[in-house]
Amino acid sequence: MKFFIDTANLDQITEAQNLGILDGVTTNPSLMAKEGITGNSNIFNHYKKICEIVDGDVSAEVISTEFNGMVEEGNHLSKISDQIVVKIPMTKNGVKALKYFSNNNIKTNCTLIFSPGQALLAAKAGADYVSPFIGRLDDITSDGLSLISEIRQVFDNYNFKTEILSASIRHNMHIIDCAKIGSDVVTAPLSSIVGLLNHPLTDSGLKKFLDDHKKGN
Ligand code: E4P
């Protein structure tokens, strides 16, 4: 399973990259705003910086909701680097844009996926990734992980190449459950990724090893 980090924070991206487990980055307009990155040229330059830090795919979201605008923005963003994956919302115009970019060999990530039908449409249109939002479904007392299972089944039935990029991760167990289901990718905050490191038996076991080593010296 690939690990993407879900942030526009350069320090956190660098930390995850240095850990040696990072396969890519996802951002969205809210994450950009959280870092105080505003204005089209600043956002464009920020994507450049992210691409310089990581080796893998970097999702860059379009703002336009019109087909022509999505195409224009996506073409512009894709010139930054081969790493750029144009992130397109799940709308009728979005599906048309997915098809356009697929025909033009530009990678895409279809975002705001909340049903298997939406994922199926995005896959049919040639999306490289679909991003089902687990946490936001859980937030409304729905079952985010069931959506991942359903999409897995649909994609496996027809051998779709589109990768399931589980998003809106809220905690460590979401990552583990996604891995069990067979999600291709998980995008998570740094805290959830490094949270996987922790186990009290590891801490107490290491302490005992080091204490015993001291006694023997
Ligand atoms: C990533 O591609 C999504 O935009 C992100 O995971 C959404 O997460 P949120 O529901 O915590 O905003």
Side-chain angles (χ1 to χ4, degrees):
M1 185 176 73
K2 292 188 216 168
F3 271 87
F4 288 0
I5 188 168
D6 195 23
T7 184
N9 182 287
L10 299 181
D11 290 339
Q12 291 185 14
I13 293 169
T14 304
E15 189 177 333
Q17 173 68 20
N18 290 343
L19 195 56
I21 50 80
L22 194 65
D23 298 297
V25 177
T26 52
T27 61
N28 62 40
S30 305
L31 292 171
M32 279 288 180
K34 194 174 163 194
E35 298 307 316
I37 315 295
T38 54
N40 291 346
S41 77
N42 288 335
I43 290 171
F44 190 86
N45 288 331
H46 202 72
Y47 284 132
K48 271 190 192 167
K49 289 181 191 164
I50 294 174
C51 289
E52 282 161 15
I53 297 170
V54 301
D55 302 321
D57 286 348
V58 175
S59 284
E61 188 159 341
V62 299
I63 305 300
S64 178
T65 55
E66 301 304 320
F67 172 76
N68 288 335
M70 287 178 180
V71 165
E72 192 183 332
E73 276 183 60
N75 278 328
H76 185 56
L77 289 166
S78 71
K79 292 196 172 64
I80 294 173
S81 160
D82 287 347
Q83 292 165 260
I84 289 290
V85 177
V86 180
K87 204 174 180 189
I88 305 277
M90 171 33 75
T91 60
K92 195 188 272 184
N93 286 331
V95 171
K96 290 181 195 168
L98 291 171
K99 188 67 187 171
Y100 166 88
F101 288 118
S102 168
N103 287 340
N104 286 277
N105 295 316
I106 291 173
K107 283 185 285 186
T108 53
N109 170 4
C110 186
T111 190
L112 292 164
I113 296 283
F114 292 96
S115 77
Q118 291 178 324
L120 180 57
L121 278 178
K124 288 283 292 177
D128 292 274
Y129 297 101
V130 287
S131 288
F133 280 27
I134 301 176
R136 291 195 195 183
L137 281 169
D138 290 356
D139 288 347
I140 58 158
T141 331
S142 192
D143 185 354
L145 288 167
S146 291
L147 174 60
I148 306 301
S149 300
E150 288 174 304
I151 298 173
R152 181 74 282 154
Q153 188 185 350
V154 170
F155 283 8
D156 287 351
N157 282 347
Y158 300 101
N159 289 322
F160 279 115
K161 297 280 178 287
T162 305
E163 293 187 61
I164 303 173
L165 197 177
S166 298
S168 188
I169 296 288
R170 296 277 190 266
H171 48 73
N172 312 347
M173 280 310 294
H174 269 159
I175 300 180
I176 294 162
D177 287 331
C178 283
K180 285 184 188 168
I181 292 167
S183 179
D184 299 290
V185 193
V186 158
T187 189
L190 183 63
S191 58
S192 298
I193 296 172
V194 296
L196 296 176
L197 287 165
N198 301 327
H199 197 288
L201 289 178
T202 305
D203 297 341
S204 60
L206 180 60
K207 183 174 181 319
K208 173 111 177 59
F209 286 154
L210 296 178
D211 287 349
D212 288 346
H213 175 75
K214 247 189 236 164
K215 279 182 213 159
N217 283 293

